[in-house]
Each structure stands twice: as C-alpha cells, then as structure tokens.
Amino acid sequence: MLAQTVRRSLLEARSILPPTFLLPFRARITTASHTLETANTVPESLLRPGQHIAEDLKEKTQLPKDTKNAPLTPSTPSPAVPSQQPPNTPQTTEQSSPLTPQIRKLLPLLHSQAPHYMTLHIHGHPYLLTAGDTLRLPFLMPRVQPGDILRLNRATHIGSRDFTLKAPEPAKGTRDAPKKVFYLDERLFECRATVVGVESEPMRVKEKTKRRMRHVRRVKSKHRFTVLKISEVRVKGLEEYERAVGA
Amino acid sequence: MPYFRITLLRSAIGLPTKSTGVLKALGLRKRMATVYYPVTPDVAGQILRVKELVDVAEVDEPLTRAEMKERRRPDPGYFVEKRGGALKKL
C-alpha cells in the first residue's frame, strides 16, 4: 500500500518536473526523507504534525508552488529519478561567496525545523551527532578536564527532518596535493560539547610467546577514552548568518 | 634551486640487486615514500636506473618529513572554548 503510493507519487513528481536541462544544478540543500515526495497525495498538515513552518517564513522564502519541488531535489534514495541530478556539481561556491541564493532560500527552512543533526569531524573522523548525545571518543583527548566546554567547528552536514545542508564532496588526494575535505562555513552553526569525563576499557591481557621458550610474556593494556556530551546544536538563522558574514 | 621529488610507487622485490641498491642509496625504503634531491646529473642517473618504479616531479622547494606529515594531518575540528573553572575548585 505504502509502496504503491510512494511509486505513484514518484511518477507524478517526475511528470511535473521540467526536463533535466531546465532544472537548477544540484541543490546544496536536499530533502532527507520521503515525506515531501508524497506531498501531492497527503495534506501537508498530516505529513508533518510535529512541526510547522510559519506563514511569514514561507512568504519570506518566496517559493512558487510549481517550482517548489525543483530546488528541493528528492533525497538520495531515489533510483527512479537518477537523471534529476546532473553530474556537473558546482565546485566550492562556499569559498567565494557564502551567501548563495539557495542558502538564502533554504536556510530559513532548515533553521525553522527544530531538532537538527550534524556530521561533525574531530581529527578527520566523522560523528553524526545531535543535541544531548553522549560521545565516547576513541582516544584520550589531551589537555582537557571534565567541565571544559569544547566548540566543535568542522561539519560536513547539517540536517533536520526534511532538509540537509551538505558540504561539497572531499577532493581526493593526489601525488601533488593531499586530500582536501570541504567543511561547511563555521559561521553557519554553533555546536558545543562538554567534557563529561574519562572512560576506561577493561584490562586486556595478551599472551606473547616465543618459539622453544617456556616463558610467556603477558602484555597488559588498558586504554582511556574521553567522553563528551553534546550540549548545544544550533543552526543560525539567515539574518544572524548574514550579520556574521558581513562582520 | 630545483629539486626532484621522487616517490617509490612499486617495490623492487624480484628485481636485480642493483635496483634495490639504487633505491637504498636514494633513501627509498618502502612504497609511497617520498624523498627530495637537488637536480644533478648523478641523481638523474639514479632515477633512470629505477624509472619504472618511481614517480618523479620537479619542485622548487623540498619538504621535510615533518612538513609532509603536517600537510596530511586533518583539522582537529574543536577548540576549548571555556575551561571548567567551577569543577576545578571542587
């Protein structure tokens, strides 16, 4: 039943959309769930009972109803419409001018959907986090104590239920240049984590033997790990971001 | 002063001892190791002996091992915003 409606809605969506070359290039902000694709069969109020986008916000974004689906390309699990996203993704528009028209249009929507998640990178490793999460790092963080407040400032994704703001794909490392990861502008969000404490694993004993020797050496190891609690995950609104960029 | 940047891409296992010796003389002990040498006829000859194994580029300035490692190091992604002063007093 559900599959049928989804398929039908997908087909309808495809018929509504203009041909590929007329569509804008791949949106930075994409929908992250199927809910928007079923928008033409189910009333919007039923789809998103928990949250609503204020009317003035809707007017501010000025999305005409017909083209609403175009910049909000359906989320990644859409094998039925692969041709929707042309391969020529724009390269790093963030660096030159952070306030692209799409950011202007879609950041208020992302900002208004309250619980946000982020993919935050610590020492190059990604962690998918949201407010209130407890994160046990795989290492002991040096020079921090319980109670310290860390500011996490490298993110590649900021998402809510329906929208995701993605950073460009990382550039693969070559012989001439090392790998380059493109992060989102750190003025877009604020993420804070509190150092909760240090956790330790149970002692591990590894028996080391040499051939033709009765002696067995036992190597002990007991690692310690820093535990963080994500205390704040906040996405800035458009006005605040404009102020931060302008200043 | 130009420099050769020489990277060992293929190992010399199974090759004549002379190839292994040249790599040892260049200081290339394992694959993907990179060394820098000034552009001289001696080094050019050494490179020609192992030209099938290495990748060579001409650069202006040599990088030290520490600099090469620093270029690969990812961003920490955090900074300490506030020290937990209240907890320290307890």
Side-chain angles (χ1 to χ4, degrees):
Chain A
M1 173 69 190
L2 186 66
Q4 269 186 352
T5 52
V6 166
R7 201 181 308 139
R8 203 188 314 141
S9 64
L10 268 178
L11 286 173
E12 282 173 16
R14 193 163 28 166
S15 61
I16 288 168
L17 285 168
T20 321
F21 57 89
L22 284 179
L23 282 170
F25 47 70
R26 185 178 172 179
R28 275 282 178 281
I29 299 186
T30 56
T31 55
S33 74
H34 295 280
T35 46
L36 275 186
E37 294 171 12
T38 56
N40 38 21
T41 51
V42 189
E44 200 172 349
S45 55
L46 281 179
L47 271 176
R48 289 177 276 181
Q51 64 97 31
H52 77 283
I53 299 170
E55 287 303 317
D56 57 337
L57 259 180
K58 272 185 187 170
E59 285 171 14
K60 202 188 297 175
T61 55
Q62 293 169 355
L63 283 176
K65 282 219 166 164
D66 290 339
T67 59
K68 193 171 181 179
N69 274 348
L72 307 174
T73 43
S75 55
T76 36
S78 59
V81 277
S83 62
Q84 258 191 0
Q85 298 168 351
N88 52 349
T89 53
Q91 286 297 313
T92 66
T93 44
E94 263 85 347
Q95 272 75 32
S96 52
S97 64
L99 273 167
T100 58
Q102 282 180 338
I103 293 263
R104 279 182 191 282
K105 202 188 286 172
L106 296 171
L107 185 63
L109 294 175
L110 177 68
H111 174 69
S112 65
Q113 266 194 335
H116 293 101
Y117 68 85
M118 289 180 189
T119 305
L120 291 151
H121 287 238
I122 300 176
H123 288 309
H125 288 273
Y127 302 93
L128 181 65
L129 298 169
T130 183
D133 280 358
T134 305
L135 169 64
R136 196 211 69 164
L137 293 170
F139 58 90
L140 184 66
M141 196 177 259
R143 293 180 291 282
V144 293
Q145 284 193 324
D148 287 358
I149 293 176
L150 308 181
R151 180 79 181 272
L152 307 178
N153 55 353
R154 294 286 176 261
T156 50
H157 294 76
I158 298 175
S160 63
R161 185 174 152 171
D162 289 329
F163 303 100
T164 311
L165 178 58
K166 293 183 193 169
E169 292 287 308
K172 216 177 167 188
T174 59
R175 285 167 203 166
D176 295 313
K179 179 186 177 185
K180 175 112 175 82
V181 182
F182 298 105
Y183 297 108
L184 291 173
D185 191 351
E186 59 181 293
R187 293 166 290 189
L188 265 172
F189 63 93
E190 274 181 23
C191 180
R192 289 188 176 83
T194 314
V195 180
V196 177
V198 174
E199 197 175 88
S200 67
E201 61 175 351
M203 173 105 77
R204 287 183 291 179
V205 180
K206 168 111 181 172
E207 297 196 338
K208 297 272 192 181
T209 57
K210 293 289 181 192
R211 289 184 185 179
R212 299 174 293 282
M213 291 278 279
R214 290 188 180 178
H215 180 65
V216 177
R217 185 160 61 101
R218 290 185 176 78
V219 182
K220 298 169 186 173
S221 80
K222 185 175 167 77
H223 288 289
R224 296 194 294 157
F225 309 101
T226 302
V227 183
L228 303 180
K229 190 160 174 74
I230 308 300
S231 49
E232 185 185 351
V233 168
R234 194 168 72 83
V235 179
K236 289 185 183 170
L238 185 59
E239 289 87 5
E240 202 179 349
Y241 181 50
E242 273 173 344
R243 253 181 282 132
V245 169
Chain B
M1 186 180 177
Y3 283 81
F4 281 131
R5 188 194 66 197
I6 312 164
T7 306
L8 183 63
L9 295 184
R10 305 200 58 179
S11 100
I13 293 176
L15 290 185
T17 326
K18 278 196 173 178
S19 310
T20 320
V22 170
L23 289 185
K24 197 177 173 202
L26 282 171
L28 292 167
R29 284 185 54 228
K30 54 186 176 185
R31 276 190 58 210
M32 306 313 289
T34 304
V35 290
Y36 290 84
Y37 282 104
V39 175
T40 57
D42 311 8
V43 178
Q46 282 179 312
I47 291 171
L48 282 179
R49 270 314 290 242
V50 291
K51 62 181 183 300
E52 291 86 1
L53 310 180
V54 295
D55 172 71
V56 184
E58 198 183 310
V59 293
D60 292 329
E61 285 300 317
L63 293 176
T64 62
R65 279 177 64 108
E67 282 168 347
M68 285 193 278
K69 184 160 187 195
E70 193 55 44
R71 284 179 149 214
R72 291 196 301 266
R73 186 189 299 278
D75 195 293
Y78 71 91
F79 59 88
V80 180
E81 194 174 58
K82 195 176 148 199
R83 294 282 173 189
L87 285 177
K88 242 183 217 171
K89 281 174 196 163
L90 291 176

